[in-house]
């Protein structure tokens, strides 16, 4: 018989606790996680440092990237013996709410970590609500007690009032000094319920995260709810309907330890040999092919792109390379979708769909940096639902695809429920900002005498265009924001087209609210005039709604562009100067006969129609 | 003897210059360096002058003659006339001894108006010079002051007079577009130069060169020259010169028939030329090379003062031929690069915009004010695939 090392199935689920830490950025999540790892002997500090430094070597040695997304901690309780604590990480950004919800679904409880000086932030609260909705037990914890500015009593009141709990139950720690961490470990055992589940039942395991490892292919993080999964088992992914073998099952301590099997309540990783991340869906349920569960775990959602932008190579010859790069990116980004798009102005490219603005920025940056592509990105647009005269409803992801006014009866746009927490002194400014962005008020709640939570319904299109920056600047950076999809509704929307030298440039078109069309067109035209350099002829720039021109500017023809002197001694130098200028020109995109710098396509983003 | 009285913009003249050979001699010394100047010049340093001319003569003596005598000599600077005519004459003698001078060779010198009185002009003429180029720049005292020039408008009148007495070919350099120069001021500067009976006129837009005091001042907030203003002034000069019977034969140069500058024509035709002095560039045997830029280093190292070189492959040489040649009103025969330019998308746009013109055996620039558009399009051409 095989001897079972410590990583083997924990047969007694009452000895398991699964939890996440929910925290705003900079509120000390990773410091607390490090402290927990240290206290439970998972890694000492020196080892931790080495692990980071040597991660490249480790990758080669073990063939698996160390990514402490789900760490198994062995905790020796002074009074009650040994427990296994699974700490599950959650993505930190609003674009990934669904991923957060899946991570939380793998847990029975959550540590809500709040900076004792800063107080509750919108995103923390949004994730805390998500946890509460998911039936998780919450342990509220104040961090950074060591800070002179810490005001634990006030912040504890704030948390208590938001979550409707007794302020006395709020724990107080300093992740930095370690103060209170032992108490937190005991509270995790006391307050969080142990997982349920029967080892002999048909397997049900939740895929709550996944990533692409260049050596091993897709690595899934799984939480077993029922049954047992072991290396070599024939598996079925119930949503994607993929039948795959369990090549390797193991736990992370955070070192990857391949183990024999994971039983009910356990958390670990699963490698199937699949190379394309698109084939593994976060939220999917893994079962056994030979003894399948009757149904999948609830809560699966297709990743739904909310924001769309056209990506075009500056150099048309790079189209294939862009396609290859997107395909490679999709290996570890299942949420990225695209379809080929052709633009009269920009040639061939791809209409890409993103979870949100951050996701869009990440993808664009990776394409440019990792794949060395020069891209022109069109202004992001939301997906509209257009109701046609025949009653059909179609999704329009690009302004250029908007059906003619005569063949449509309504344009429905996506709305978001926006939650903002701000110091009360900025309440007026924030409400004004929301009003400018066509927001309608839902509710307003004072978290304390100093801070207020505002809930509004705002069209996504309004959030896409510069909302974050404005919120930051109008609240001097103090407000925090979270949002989630909240259905579609009809709005009075029109398409503003931009004509360059008399010809419409599809990449500059935008769908905006009728009341904002004039200002939007005027400002965009002004910006374009400032950005487009003078050329060999006058370039009229016009904004139009339908056939009606609403604004016009002209880039006057350049009159002088010649080196005055070029004699024998100068030729080499002048040539170098021109070579340099030529490089600058290469960035330009030819739109008809007009040279347009890539910044112009971003300008659409920066136009504030208000 | 001056050149044959042919039109300065005749294509035959432009093309013939490709077979000429020349010599450039650099005299770096200036009484005062102008704030817009980025040449290899030095203020004062009287102590170095003697050694410098010794070094020049040594470098000339040590260099290889061409297959034919020199068609053109150009002594520039700096301010050549800041040294005595005898020193300059000695340089011409050294060149004649080593390279030989063609019977109709052009021997040209740059002079500042404040230096060129009649005796100096006579001395230079006796020393073998037959063409003088005067750095007048403007006849407006305010503009002269803004440009940091030391002479007055009257000095310029007198210098032109003295030069005309002794030289068959006199050029005046003018600079336009200085901040503060009015349209009327510029027009009267051009008119006064043309009225003085010169044979050649060079008009240059004031250019802000990197590293000059002018560039620094602008970086610190001074107004920069306005390209639209300069375009207007370029066109005014062009019209006035034409009315005075001069022909524009290069972007910035006008001449009466028979007075096109041979030295310039040969450099624009990629002819070969030797060069002497600090920072001087030469073009020989298909290689461009240049001397150390600092005067003291040059003096130490001459005759072996070369500090760098550029060798062009066949394609880049061809591109350069068209790039430089197109600055001439005569244009270029198309050749490989000219043909490729005309056939390119960028070339077609230039033709559509009336900047470039293509006739069966000639490519020309019709809007010289936008010449750099053409140059960049040319430099962006891909070399032909090896066959």
């Amino acid at each position: 018989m095989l001897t079972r090392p410590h990583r083997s199935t924990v047969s007694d689920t009452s000895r398991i606790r699964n939890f996440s830490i929910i925290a705003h950025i900079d509120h000390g999540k990773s410091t607390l996680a490090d402290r927990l790892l240290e206290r439970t002997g998972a890694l000492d500090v020196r080892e931790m440092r080495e692990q980071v430094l040597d991660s490249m070597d480790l990758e080669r040695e073990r063939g698996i990237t160390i990514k402490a997304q789900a760490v198994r901690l062995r905790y020796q309780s002074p009074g009650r013996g040994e427990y296994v604590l699974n700490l599950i990480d959650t993505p930190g950004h609003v674009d990934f709410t669904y991923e957060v919800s899946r991570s939380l679904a793998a847990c029975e409880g959550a540590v809500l970590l709040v900076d004792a000086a800063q107080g509750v932030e919108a995103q923390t609260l949004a994730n805390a609500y998500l946890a509460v909705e998911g039936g998780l037990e919450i342990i509220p914890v104040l961090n950074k007690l060591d800070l002179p500015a810490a005001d634990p009593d006030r912040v504890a009141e704030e948390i208590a009032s938001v979550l409707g709990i007794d302020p006395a139950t709020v724990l107080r720690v300093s992740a930095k000094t370690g103060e209170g961490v032992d108490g937190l470990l005991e509270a995790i055992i006391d307050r969080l319920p142990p997982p349920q589940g029967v080892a002999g039942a048909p397997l049900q395991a939740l895929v709550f995260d996944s990533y692409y490892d260049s050596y091993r292919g897709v690595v899934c993080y799984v939480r077993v709810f029922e049954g047992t999964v072991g290396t070599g088992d024939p598996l079925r992914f119930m949503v994607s309907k993929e039948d795959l073998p369990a090549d390797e099952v193991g736990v992370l301590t955070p070192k990857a330890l391949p183990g024999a099997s994971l039983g009910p309540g356990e958390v670990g990783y699963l490698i199937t040999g699949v190379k394309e991340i698109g084939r593994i869906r976060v939220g999917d349920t893994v079962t056994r092919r030979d003894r399948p569960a009757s149904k999948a775990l609830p809560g699966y959602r297709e990743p739904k792109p909310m924001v769309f932008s056209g990506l075009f190579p500056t150099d048309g010859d790079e189209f294939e390379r862009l396609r290859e790069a997107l395909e490679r990116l999709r290996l570890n980004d299942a949420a990225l979708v695209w379809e080929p798009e052709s633009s009269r102005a920009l040639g061939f490219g791809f209409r890409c769909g993103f979870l949100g603005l951050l996701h869009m920025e990440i993808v664009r940056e990776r394409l440019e940096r990792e794949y060395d592509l020069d891209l022109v990105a069109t202004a992001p647009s939301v997906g509209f639902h257009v109701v046609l005269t025949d009653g059909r409803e179609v999704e329009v992801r690009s302004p250029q695809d908007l059906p003619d006014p005569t063949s449509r009866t309504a344009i429905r746009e996506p709305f978001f429920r926006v939650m903002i927490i701000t110091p009360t002194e900025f309440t007026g400014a924030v409400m004004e900002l929301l009003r400018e962005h066509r927001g309608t008020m839902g509710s307003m709640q004072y978290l304390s005498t100093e801070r207020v939570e505002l809930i509004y319904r705002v069209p996504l299109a309004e959030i896409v265009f510069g909302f974050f920056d404005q919120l930051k600047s109008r609240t001097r950076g103090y407000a925090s924001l979270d949002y989630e999809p909240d259905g579609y509704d009809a709005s009075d929307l029109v398409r503003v087209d931009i004509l360059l030298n008399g010809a419409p440039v599809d990449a500059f078109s935008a769908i905006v609210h009728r009341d904002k069309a004039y200002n939007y067109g005027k400002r965009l035209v002004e910006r374009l005039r400032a950005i487009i350099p003078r050329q060999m002829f006058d370039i009229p720039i016009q904004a139009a709604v339908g056939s009606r021109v609403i604004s016009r500017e002209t880039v006057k023809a350049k009159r002088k562009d010649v080196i005055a002197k070029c004699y024998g001694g100068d030729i080499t130098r002048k040539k170098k100067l021109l070579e340099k200028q030529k490089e600058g020109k290469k960035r330009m995109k030819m739109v008809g006969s007009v040279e347009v710098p890539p910044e112009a396509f971003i300008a659409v983003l920066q136009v504030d129609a208000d | 003897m001056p050149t044959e009285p042919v039109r300065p913009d005749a294509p035959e003249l432009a093309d013939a210059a490709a077979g000429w050979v020349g010599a450039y001699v650099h005299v770096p010394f200036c009484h005062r360096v102008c704030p817009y100047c980025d040449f290899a010049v030095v203020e004062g340093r009287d102590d170095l002058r003697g050694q410098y001319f010794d070094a020049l003569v040594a470098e000339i003596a040590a260099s290889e003659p061409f297959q034919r005598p020199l068609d053109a000599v150009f002594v520039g600077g700096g301010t050549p006339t800041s040294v005595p005519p005898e020193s300059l004459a000695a340089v011409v003698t050294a060149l004649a001894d080593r390279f030989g001078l063609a019977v109709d060779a052009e021997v040209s010198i740059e002079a500042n108006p404040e230096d060129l009185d009649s005796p100096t002009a006579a001395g230079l003429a006796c020393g073998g010079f037959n063409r003088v180029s005067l750095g007048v720049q403007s006849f407006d005292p305010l503009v002269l002051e803004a440009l940091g020039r030391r002479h007055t408008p009257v000095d310029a009148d007198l210098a032109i007079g003295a030069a005309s007495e002794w030289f068959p070919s006199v050029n005046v350099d003018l600079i336009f577009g200085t901040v503060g120069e009015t349209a009327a001021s510029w027009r009267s500067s051009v008119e006064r130069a043309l009225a003085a009976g010169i044979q050649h006129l060079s008009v240059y837009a004031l250019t802000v060169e990197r590293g000059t005091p002018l560039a620094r001042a602008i970086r610190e907030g001074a107004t920069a020259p306005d390209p639209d203003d300069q375009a207007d002034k370029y066109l005014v000069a062009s019209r006035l010169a034409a009315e005075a019977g001069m022909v524009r034969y290069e972007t910035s140069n006008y001449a009466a028939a028979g007075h096109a500058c041979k030295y310039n024509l040969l450099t624009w035709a990629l002819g070969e030329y030797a060069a002497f002095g600090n920072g001087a560039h030469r073009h020989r045997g298909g290689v461009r090379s240049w001397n150390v830029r600092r005067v003291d280093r040059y003096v130490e190292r001459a005759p072996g003062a070369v500090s760098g070189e550029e060798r062009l492959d066949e394609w880049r040489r061809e591109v350069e031929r068209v790039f430089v040649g197109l600055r001439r009103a005569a244009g270029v025969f198309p050749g490989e690069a000219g043909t490729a330019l005309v056939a390119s998308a960028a070339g077609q746009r230039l033709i559509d915009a009336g900047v470039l013109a293509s006739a069966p055996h000639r490519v020309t620039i019709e809007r010289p004010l936008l010449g750099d558009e053409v140059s960049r399009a040319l430099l962006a051409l891909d070399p032909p695939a090896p066959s």
Side-chain angles (χ1 to χ4, degrees):
Chain A
M1 205 185 109
L2 283 170
T3 53
R4 297 228 154 157
H6 73 288
R7 57 186 179 267
S8 64
T9 311
V10 182
S11 52
D12 181 1
T13 56
S14 71
R15 292 272 156 190
I16 301 176
R17 297 293 184 276
N18 296 319
F19 71 103
S20 290
I21 302 174
I22 295 171
H24 191 72
I25 183 163
D26 291 337
H27 281 202
K29 181 162 87 168
S30 53
T31 313
L32 179 62
D34 286 354
R35 203 61 64 224
L36 293 175
L37 260 66
E38 214 177 78
R39 287 293 160 106
T40 56
L43 284 178
D44 63 30
V45 175
R46 184 187 52 82
E47 245 188 317
M48 245 187 281
R49 195 169 302 129
E50 279 173 3
Q51 183 128 39
V52 174
L53 290 177
D54 297 343
S55 65
M56 289 304 290
D57 293 332
L58 273 171
E59 248 185 73
R60 279 187 210 111
E61 206 178 285
R62 296 192 180 280
I64 183 166
T65 311
I66 304 300
K67 185 181 166 197
Q69 202 70 13
V71 187
R72 168 185 282 215
L73 311 171
R74 302 188 77 80
Y75 172 58
Q76 195 70 42
S77 167
R80 288 171 287 181
E82 192 177 277
Y83 285 82
V84 165
L85 309 182
N86 290 305
L87 168 56
I88 292 165
D89 199 14
T90 53
H93 191 271
V94 61
D95 282 358
F96 305 102
T97 305
Y98 171 66
E99 284 71 9
V100 174
S101 79
R102 293 306 83 200
S103 291
L104 294 176
C107 305
E108 276 75 30
V111 170
L112 174 64
L113 189 69
V114 177
D115 186 316
Q118 304 283 332
V120 176
E121 304 285 358
Q123 200 189 312
T124 328
L125 209 49
N127 286 345
Y129 289 150
L130 218 56
V132 172
E133 280 166 30
L136 269 63
E137 194 61 43
I138 307 280
I139 303 176
V141 178
L142 294 181
N143 188 22
K144 305 198 185 179
L145 281 191
D146 54 297
L147 287 186
D151 189 356
D153 294 337
R154 177 182 67 79
V155 177
E157 279 295 341
E158 206 174 275
I159 296 175
S161 89
V162 174
L163 294 181
I165 53 164
D166 178 358
T169 64
V170 180
L171 299 184
R172 301 179 178 200
V173 307
S174 165
K176 194 172 151 198
T177 64
E179 182 191 345
V181 173
D182 292 328
L184 172 59
L185 283 162
E186 285 296 304
I188 287 169
I189 292 174
D190 285 336
R191 295 204 214 167
L192 302 188
Q196 308 293 321
V198 178
L203 174 65
Q204 273 186 314
L206 172 73
V207 178
F208 63 86
D209 198 2
S210 71
Y211 72 98
Y212 176 77
D213 177 277
S214 47
Y215 296 92
R216 303 301 304 272
V218 179
V219 178
C220 313
Y221 290 103
V222 292
R223 151 73 198 268
V224 178
F225 280 87
E226 296 287 351
T228 306
V229 60
T231 301
D233 287 351
L235 300 181
R236 168 161 298 163
F237 287 73
M238 298 181 78
V239 172
S240 66
K241 302 190 169 53
E242 293 267 2
D243 286 345
L244 298 162
D247 279 358
E248 184 178 318
V249 174
V251 296
L252 295 156
T253 67
K255 288 175 186 146
L257 297 177
S261 59
L262 298 173
E266 286 197 282
V267 173
Y269 68 88
L270 162 66
I271 295 170
T272 61
V274 161
K275 298 288 181 197
E276 306 81 21
I277 203 147
R279 289 173 64 189
I280 303 289
R281 319 272 178 90
V282 168
D284 205 342
T285 301
V286 182
T287 190
R288 278 180 71 116
R289 214 183 314 161
D290 49 359
R291 195 181 162 216
S294 59
K295 59 174 200 273
L297 294 162
Y300 174 76
R301 254 183 20 214
E302 288 283 333
K304 188 169 165 22
M306 295 305 303
V307 175
F308 301 88
S309 164
L311 294 181
F312 296 83
T314 309
D315 176 355
D317 295 343
E318 301 265 52
F319 175 77
E320 274 308 318
R321 229 162 61 75
L322 174 56
R323 181 205 296 280
E324 282 162 28
L326 283 168
E327 266 159 16
R328 291 189 71 94
L329 279 192
R330 188 152 64 182
L331 284 179
N332 58 7
D333 184 349
L336 175 64
V337 296
W338 73 84
E339 59 201 19
E341 177 176 50
S342 87
S343 153
R344 280 188 302 274
L346 299 173
F348 292 102
F350 295 94
R351 191 76 185 165
C352 299
F354 309 95
L355 295 174
L357 287 179
L358 177 83
H359 186 214
M360 178 177 82
E361 263 166 47
I362 292 171
V363 169
R364 219 156 60 186
E365 205 173 288
R366 289 189 64 188
L367 287 170
E368 297 206 321
R369 221 184 31 217
E370 294 172 28
Y371 297 93
D372 195 29
L373 285 159
D374 253 331
L375 296 178
V376 172
T378 61
S381 166
V382 302
F384 295 95
H385 289 174
V386 178
V387 184
L388 303 176
T389 43
D390 62 8
R392 277 187 308 135
E393 190 166 308
V394 293
E395 184 175 25
V396 170
R397 296 177 163 191
S398 171
Q400 66 190 90
D401 297 335
L402 185 70
D404 222 44
T406 55
S407 56
R408 62 175 200 243
T409 56
I411 304 174
R412 283 151 44 79
E413 62 176 330
F415 278 76
F416 267 54
R417 181 175 177 273
V418 172
M419 182 205 293
I420 293 171
I421 294 180
T422 175
T424 47
E425 57 183 302
F426 302 118
T427 312
V430 172
M431 289 171 79
E432 176 64 16
L433 176 70
L434 286 159
R435 194 195 56 74
E436 288 165 12
H437 286 272
R438 298 194 281 133
T440 49
M441 196 190 212
S443 68
M444 179 165 157
Q445 187 194 353
Y446 281 86
L447 305 179
S448 64
T449 50
E450 290 98 39
R451 293 174 13 114
V452 65
E453 177 200 58
L454 295 164
I455 299 198
Y456 269 68
R457 193 160 188 264
V458 185
L460 174 59
E462 295 287 338
I463 304 174
V464 166
F465 287 100
F467 186 80
F468 297 115
D469 293 341
Q470 292 167 19
L471 178 66
K472 281 259 172 301
S473 77
R474 294 201 199 178
T475 62
R476 284 195 257 120
Y478 281 111
S480 65
L481 166 92
D482 197 82
Y483 54 83
E484 60 186 24
D486 191 20
Y488 285 74
D489 269 310
S491 297
D492 189 8
L493 301 171
V494 294
R495 188 175 72 197
V496 177
D497 292 320
I498 299 294
L499 291 80
L500 210 53
N501 210 17
V505 180
D506 46 18
F508 286 136
S509 292
I511 296 173
V512 299
H513 195 269
R514 187 182 301 277
D515 294 348
K516 295 188 169 189
Y518 173 75
N519 268 342
Y520 174 82
K522 183 169 181 292
R523 296 207 187 172
L524 179 53
V525 160
E526 282 166 1
R527 273 198 72 89
L528 288 173
R529 187 184 56 86
I531 290 171
I532 294 173
R534 296 171 68 178
Q535 295 175 31
M536 292 183 288
F537 42 85
D538 279 359
I539 303 164
I541 307 172
Q542 295 157 291
V545 171
S547 57
R548 192 165 57 91
V549 171
I550 55 175
S551 188
R552 183 194 161 103
E553 293 277 344
T554 303
V555 177
K556 298 298 284 177
K558 159 162 74 182
R559 297 195 49 214
K560 173 184 166 286
D561 179 10
V562 67
I563 289 167
K565 272 190 192 187
C566 189
Y567 295 119
D570 286 331
I571 290 171
T572 303
R573 250 177 62 216
K574 299 294 190 214
K575 216 171 54 186
K576 276 188 187 143
L577 178 73
L578 288 161
E579 292 272 6
K580 232 175 163 172
Q581 295 173 357
K582 178 196 87 187
E583 289 309 310
K585 258 181 118 82
K586 260 169 100 176
R587 295 171 52 251
M588 301 281 186
K589 192 84 199 172
M590 288 304 306
V591 175
S593 53
V594 182
E595 288 175 346
V596 180
E599 304 88 85
F601 298 93
I602 300 162
V604 187
L605 249 180
Q606 295 156 336
V607 170
D608 174 10
D610 303 295
Chain B
M1 284 288 291
T3 47
E4 298 295 307
V6 288
R7 272 182 69 93
D9 59 353
E12 311 78 64
L13 180 65
D15 294 346
W20 297 345
V21 296
Y24 175 76
V25 179
H26 189 68
V27 179
F29 305 105
C30 285
H31 308 293
R32 193 166 78 194
V33 174
C34 304
Y36 54 87
C37 173
D38 73 334
F39 293 150
V41 296
V42 63
E43 207 169 272
R45 292 311 300 260
D46 292 356
D47 54 315
L48 280 176
R49 291 179 189 209
Q51 295 171 61
Y52 185 82
F53 276 83
D54 291 346
L56 273 183
V57 170
E59 195 188 9
I60 291 167
S63 69
E64 204 53 42
F66 292 103
Q67 301 292 319
R68 54 185 279 165
L70 299 173
D71 296 283
V73 171
F74 196 96
V75 178
T79 313
T81 48
S82 68
V83 299
E86 303 79 64
S87 304
L88 300 164
V91 170
V92 177
T93 305
L95 286 171
D97 286 351
R98 187 63 189 157
F99 289 87
L101 285 177
V103 281
D104 57 353
E106 170 192 279
V107 184
S108 201
I109 186 165
E110 283 181 340
N112 272 4
E114 66 268 32
D115 296 328
L116 200 75
D117 54 14
S118 197
T120 308
L124 292 170
C126 295
F129 292 95
N130 55 25
R131 182 177 183 274
V132 69
S133 175
L134 283 164
V136 172
Q137 320 310 3
S138 171
F139 284 96
D140 181 334
L142 292 175
V143 174
L144 287 171
E145 198 191 320
L147 290 173
R149 304 295 298 197
R150 299 164 73 236
H151 66 269
T152 63
V154 173
D155 288 341
D157 289 331
L158 294 173
I160 296 171
S164 299
E165 239 179 279
W166 291 98
F167 296 97
S169 211
V170 176
N171 169 59
V172 162
D173 276 355
L174 295 178
I175 290 179
F176 62 90
T178 304
V179 172
E181 179 189 58
T182 62
S185 154
W186 171 242
R187 196 180 331 105
S188 83
S189 284
V190 178
E191 283 168 347
R192 190 152 156 189
L194 290 169
I198 55 176
Q199 292 76 36
H200 193 285
L201 177 68
S202 300
V203 293
Y204 301 114
L206 178 63
T207 306
V208 183
E209 302 285 359
R210 257 180 37 188
T212 59
L214 176 63
R216 237 182 338 272
I218 288 170
R219 205 172 52 236
E220 283 159 14
T223 309
D226 171 17
D228 288 352
D229 171 65
Q230 293 190 330
D232 288 336
K233 287 173 176 166
Y234 179 95
L235 295 173
V236 164
S238 200
R239 180 171 54 79
L240 293 175
E243 284 168 11
M246 285 202 186
V247 174
R248 187 183 67 78
Y249 69 108
E250 191 259 1
T251 307
S252 306
N253 285 278
Y254 302 81
H259 289 275
C261 174
K262 289 180 89 170
Y263 177 78
N264 288 348
L265 281 173
L266 95 84
T267 65
W268 295 327
L270 301 198
E272 301 219 327
Y273 51 93
F276 309 99
N278 67 304
H281 284 60
R282 63 187 66 75
H283 178 225
R284 300 193 68 169
V287 181
R288 295 194 181 283
S289 67
W290 47 90
N291 287 349
V292 288
R293 195 168 155 96
R294 278 182 54 168
V295 182
D296 48 358
R297 295 258 189 289
Y298 170 76
V299 166
E300 275 166 38
R301 288 180 48 186
V306 174
S307 77
E309 65 168 46
E310 184 189 27
R311 270 170 207 275
L312 299 176
D313 61 28
E314 212 177 310
W315 167 252
R316 290 195 305 160
R317 215 178 144 65
E318 165 64 6
V319 166
E320 195 165 280
R321 176 187 71 83
V322 178
F323 155 59
V324 181
L326 274 178
R327 291 181 61 90
R328 304 172 305 191
V332 293
F333 61 90
E336 208 169 7
T339 306
L341 173 67
V342 168
S344 69
Q348 203 52 55
R349 283 196 295 278
L350 287 162
I351 291 171
D352 292 344
V355 176
L356 190 68
S358 168
H361 301 292
R362 215 68 195 169
V363 180
T364 50
I365 287 180
E366 300 298 303
R367 293 171 66 187
L369 276 170
L370 297 181
D372 284 2
E373 286 278 358
V374 180
S375 304
R376 286 187 295 262
L378 191 58
L379 293 170
L381 290 175
D382 289 324
S387 47

